[in-house]
Amino acid sequence: MKPFKSFILFSFGMLTFTACSDDEPAPEPINEEEIITTFTATFVPQGGGTTITLQSRDLDGDGPNPPEVTVSGDFAENAIYDGTIVLLNETETPAEDITTEVEEEDEEHQFFYTVGSSLNANLEYANFDGNGNPLGTAFTMTTTTASSGTIAFTLRHEPLKPNSGLADAGGETDLAVTFSVNIQ
Amino acid sequence: MYLRYFIALCALFTGFQASSQECNHTLSGKVMDFHDKTPLAGATLYIAKMGTYAYTDLNGAYSFENLCAGTYEIEVMHPECRTLIFPINIPETKKEDFLLEHHLEELDEVRVIGSIYSGKTNSGLENRLSEEALLQNSGNSLGDAIKGLRGVSSLNTGSNIVKPAIHGLNGSRVLVLNDGVRMQDMEWGDEHAPNVDVNAAGSVTVIKGASALQYGGDAIGGVILMEQAYLPAQDTLYGKTVLNGFSNGRGGNISTDLTKIFQDDWFIRLQGSFKRLGDQESPDYILSNTGISETASSLEFGKRTLNWGIQGRYSFYDAEIAILRASHIGNIDDLIRSINSGEPQIIRPFTYDLQNPRQDVRHHLAKISAYKRFQGLGKWSAQYDFQQNRRKEYDVRRGELNDQASLDLELTTHSVSTDFKWDAAEKIDLHTGLVGRYQENFPNPATGVRRLIPDYKRWELGAFVTGEYNLTANWSLDAGFRYDFSKIDALKYYQTTRWEERGYEDEFSDIIIEEVGSQLLTNPVFTFENFSGTSGIHYNRDNTTFLRFNYALSQRAPNPSELFSDGLHHSAARIELGDLRIKSETSHKFSASFERRLQKWGFTLEPYANFLSDFILLEPTGLEFTIRGAFPVWSYRQTNARLLGFDASAYVNWHTNWRTEHQMSLVKGKDMSQDLALINIPPVSFRNQVDFLKKEWHDFEVSFISDLVLRQNEVPPNITVFSPEQQQDVLLEINTPPPAYHLVGLSSSLDFSLGTSGRLTTSLIVNNLLNTTFRDYLNRQRFFADGMGRNIQLQIIVHY
């Protein structure tokens, strides 16, 4: 009989005891270490002119808000631009530069450029991994006549390298952003 | 408390009365099998009041001498039978034969005369996995082992993560009891399988529904009971070793156990298993990154006598499971590509390496329990158990983060329980108990990924009473009631944008503790009160015709995932969102069973209907854009649902050597509020089996098994999503079911005796004999790859 009684006492004791220990420190907040919040492509025209930036910024990561997409201006006709891509994680202070991580793991990453058919522009890779396959954080863009359309940038993690494009690259998408631009 | 003292006192008095008689009477007779009257040798007969024993000889005969006059209860025990208690009048009775049910090996449960039904419940639907089937599955998971039972299916993530489903329901709706301990192993996730080793169990029983209230009131799907093997009451040392080799996965497992029983009823049992497989293969390609490494061990010791016992147990389970590389995807376009291509996006050469994505789960379980029998009253038991579950999930990540788990949870649970079984009366059994539980979840912040499940504490208190009444020799009634209280107290960070999107700012503004950057720290506290009940009737004529009808009301409080889930799942390319407003779900389940069990043939028909209100389900509700691309949003919501099902099985013994078995399962699930089909409901399936047995050839046995799984035609509609890659809306065929398939299997075995007590069994088992290409609707990896191809298993079992 005794064990039963002490058991009941014990169980209630345990419940009440654990129930009052509410003064523990709050868990620390977690800032996503891996997330890319900001994509910026900077286009510097060869021989001078207006630098154009395309930016997609999503400060709440996989939160409900869509990325904010900005295009600083229109591209010039018949121009050659030197392009660079910068990836940031702005949930951390100071913002973490993720481009360097991608460039360190160049064999496991590749950017792809998809130019809408109505846009008279062409993008070429300007940097490559250790095996001579494209990496694409740097590129050149050549424009011809005035037109409007889209440029999409896709970053794949662990794609098949070499490949003939997005269709057979496989891997998984780390980033996919689309911009509507004009050439004037 | 006082009542119990009083009853014990009364029992003591009647004991004194009986001993004041003259003591020169005898009692003799035989102990025989209930069914075929074969004599049972080695049975123990015990008259507790006098403390005298008798044993049966080879002819099943026993005799007592020098008995005092009086009324006694005599307990008749046999290692392979259920212990029975019979009332005896001395000296009126001089000769008495006792019949025991020889076919069922039970634990220490003591049943009273008149109750011939042998299950865990009186009127519920249940199935027990045969010892043979359990051994055959010693290289598989629990989910695979019980999948062959009617009404049982599974939700898989590949072939190593198998989540059991009963009558179409899985997860928190299916309780797993491991040697009397309710597993607390994060059963809420689709890709979380029970953290148990089948080799540690002596028997596995599936109860289909909430009719066994002692285990929990929230078993809307059912209960899986893993129990320890029977311990013979004699000084002995025995054990077995099982060795399995698998062609698919190019590995195997070994499992061994050893039991020592001492003269004075103390025992100790040690058990351990190890399993290692590399990449598995579909008929056409390697399923890259699908290996597994699993280690499990347990130690058990205690003392078991008829009147009291004490037992301790510690078990450890550790599994590292690689998850198909191609199933880890970046965004919705990757998912569309995977579905359309029909082949995994990543196929590499075979390897034993377990790479990311992978899971590493570890479960510690310790318990101590005791029981005491009060003559003429019943049995009292108490238990304390401790569990710690650590789950780490690794995603494919950049750089050093690749070695850092993306999800790292530690769930610690303490439970105390006690119950009393009042089984002394001839016609009525009562069972009542209490359980208290405390649980703590700690998500490790070192992951660098926002917590999917927050820090929380949970308290639970439950009380139940169930009873069984034997109306006549054929009819018995049962009824039960259970009350459960639970409280969950969490500390959770919400992204401010998510908090607003969920519409929490009006309803839940009082739970915000502070604002930290773009996140809100909140303290949600919820309490739930649940009621469950069951009642039923059972009819048994001559142990050949059985009829059962059962009604079970059960309520389940939402699990942490349903309340708090908030984040991106790479394995499904979806954002999963819980809802703080979710309340308990309620199920009303009606089930019936009609069974004929004859020498030549037999069948079982089991229809059931489950009406669920506030059924919690996860379904696609929209699309969200991130810099990674677009993701479908899956939200938990509550609705009214209905599950209608029918299971049937039959056997025919055509000839002494030939036997066939047949089985079918059908279940239909419907969301009544929206008039839509429910997701993840098992398709109609048929299993047919032909067995050939020849005792003279070393117990030679060969079986051909055919599994036909039809296409699930009742699925929720697909969703239309915008594909950034294609710059247009596309239909995401996430609910399109794969076509029907038919798999053929073979199993054969031979038995050899080794010395006096040893035995060697060798088996050859082939699954998917014809190397058929198929995809299973209930496999979450069906979007990415085919199911497993042919698997040849060679098994050697040595009993010693």
Side-chain angles (χ1 to χ4, degrees), chain B residues 185-228:
Chain B
D185 52 355
M186 313 193 195
E187 71 295 335
W188 52 67
D190 277 354
E191 69 280 30
H192 303 181
N195 294 168
V196 291
D197 174 22
V198 279
N199 294 297
S203 78
V204 178
T205 309
V206 176
I207 302 168
K208 296 169 237 173
S211 43
L213 288 180
Q214 62 267 41
Y215 305 119
D218 50 354
I220 290 174
V223 180
I224 299 166
L225 281 178
M226 297 175 71
E227 292 174 309
Q228 287 309 298

Side-chain angles (χ1 to χ4, degrees), chain B residues 26-53:
Chain B
T26 58
L27 175 67
S28 63
K30 277 185 158 190
V31 178
M32 291 175 291
D33 177 68
F34 183 88
H35 299 277
D36 52 13
K37 305 281 190 294
T38 51
L40 296 177
T44 309
L45 295 95
Y46 178 54
I47 304 177
K49 242 183 222 177
M50 309 193 44
T52 44
Y53 288 94

